[in-house]
Amino acid sequence: MEYGHNEPPQPKPVLAVYQAIWALDRYTGEGREWTLEEKLERIAAAGFQGVFGRLPEPGMEERWRRLQAKHGLAFGVESFPMDVSDFRPFLERAKAFDVAYVNAQVGTGFLVGERAVDTLAGLMEEAERSGFPFYVETHRGRVTQDLLRTADYVRQLPGLRLTIDFSHYVLAGELTAPSEEAEPYFDELLQRTSSIHGRVSNGEQIQIDIGAGDHPKAEPFKRWWEKGMRYWYAQAKPGEVLPFVCEIGRHYAITRRRTAERRLGGRAVRPLGAVACDETGGGGSLEQSGGRTAGIRRKRSRKPGRSQ
C-alpha cells in the first residue's frame, strides 16, 4: 500500500515581523503616552504579525489577553533570568498567556566561564520542560557580553539557540569599520539564529538613523540578517516561524538624519529585514507571514511657541 499521495502540503517556514512594545514608550509627539490599547491597535494596523515585550503587570493580565486576541498578534516575551531559581516561576507565569517564544537576557557581564555555561544549560533545560521555544539574546552587559565568550558558549552548548542582535557587539567592540577578525565569530553565532532584533549600530551608538535604509552602516547588518535567515531556513521544520523584531528606542541618544516624518519599522528596519528575507532566494526562500509594509506614524511635535 502506498501512502502520502493525498497528504496536504507541509506549511513552509516563515518570517514574522514583530514590534517591540517598549520602543513605543515616549514615541508620541502628542505630549502623552499611548495607552496599551492604542499601542497594540497601532502595531496591528501597521501590519506587524507580533508584539515583543515583558509579561503584563499584575492586574493587567486579562486586559492584555483580550487585546492580544482582538488584534491577532503573536507574543514574544522577554525575560531577564539570573539562574534557574527565578526562571522557573517566570515560565510558570508565562503559561497563562499565549506566548510564542521566550527571549532571555541572561545574568550579568560578570558571570563567566564554567558558571556561565552551567547557568545557560540549566535555563535551556528548564525552558524545554516548560515547552517554550527559548532563545538567548546576544546582549551586552549580560552573560553574552562580548562576541568571543558567546562564540565559546555555542561551541560548548550544541542546543543553544540565539536571538541575534549584533548592534551590541558592534558597539561594545567599537567595530566602526568591517573586521575580518570578527567575521568568523559572527558566523558561528549566525548558525544558531532563531530570532533577529533589527537595529543598526555604527560602533559608537547602539542605534543610528538609517533613513530609508540606505545608510552605509546598514549594509553589514543586512548581510548578517540574510545569512542568519539562510542558516535558520536550512534547519527549520515545516511551519516554524522566525521572529524579526523591530526595536528602535526613543530613550537612546541618537544622531538623526533630517526627515520630514519619522516612521517606526516601515521605511527602514523592517524593509531591510524583508530585503534580507527576499535575498535568501533560490530553492530555499523565506516567505513573510502576512502583513503590510506601512510603518507606525507619529505626529511631529511642534516647536515651543507655535500654536497647536
Side-chain angles (χ1 to χ4, degrees), residues 39-83:
K39 289 177 180 178
L40 294 187
E41 180 180 4
R42 289 173 185 262
I43 288 170
F48 291 95
Q49 292 89 47
V51 58
F52 176 75
R54 302 189 184 197
L55 288 176
E57 295 290 333
M60 295 284 289
E61 295 95 339
E62 186 54 40
R63 185 180 173 195
W64 176 274
R65 283 189 285 263
R66 174 176 54 81
L67 290 170
Q68 183 188 354
K70 175 182 177 181
H71 296 295
L73 293 167
F75 182 21
V77 65
E78 58 181 341
S79 64
F80 306 88
M82 297 300 292
D83 53 37

Side-chain angles (χ1 to χ4, degrees), residues 66-131:
R66 174 176 54 81
L67 290 170
Q68 183 188 354
K70 175 182 177 181
H71 296 295
L73 293 167
F75 182 21
V77 65
E78 58 181 341
S79 64
F80 306 88
M82 297 300 292
D83 53 37
V84 171
S85 66
D86 63 348
F87 194 44
R88 186 176 295 123
F90 174 89
L91 293 173
E92 283 300 314
R93 186 164 177 255
K95 291 177 182 178
F97 300 90
D98 185 10
V99 171
Y101 69 95
V102 174
N103 181 88
Q105 296 180 25
V106 178
T108 74
F110 298 98
L111 180 61
V112 298
E114 187 175 342
R115 286 180 56 235
V117 173
D118 289 345
T119 297
L120 288 169
L123 296 175
M124 291 164 58
E125 292 172 4
E126 198 66 35
E128 185 175 9
R129 280 194 288 269
S130 75

Side-chain angles (χ1 to χ4, degrees), residues 295-306:
I296 297 177
R297 297 181 181 225
R298 73 171 178 91
K299 296 180 181 178
R300 295 182 64 202
S301 299
R302 296 182 182 272
K303 292 183 178 180
R306 292 188 180 183

Side-chain angles (χ1 to χ4, degrees), residues 222-283:
K222 176 186 168 185
R223 174 170 51 81
W224 290 325
W225 297 342
E226 178 185 342
K227 199 171 189 180
M229 290 175 184
R230 287 183 182 276
Y231 281 132
W232 176 85
Y233 190 86
Q235 305 167 46
K237 298 176 182 177
E240 284 193 338
V241 176
L242 176 66
F244 185 99
V245 181
C246 301
E247 51 165 20
I248 309 298
R250 284 184 51 75
H251 58 290
Y252 291 113
I254 184 171
T255 301
R256 297 189 183 280
R257 288 183 169 186
R258 294 181 62 85
T259 55
E261 177 183 61
R262 174 174 172 266
R263 288 190 182 187
L264 178 60
R267 287 187 178 174
V269 172
R270 179 160 50 170
L272 279 186
V275 168
C277 169
D278 292 342
E279 292 185 359
T280 57

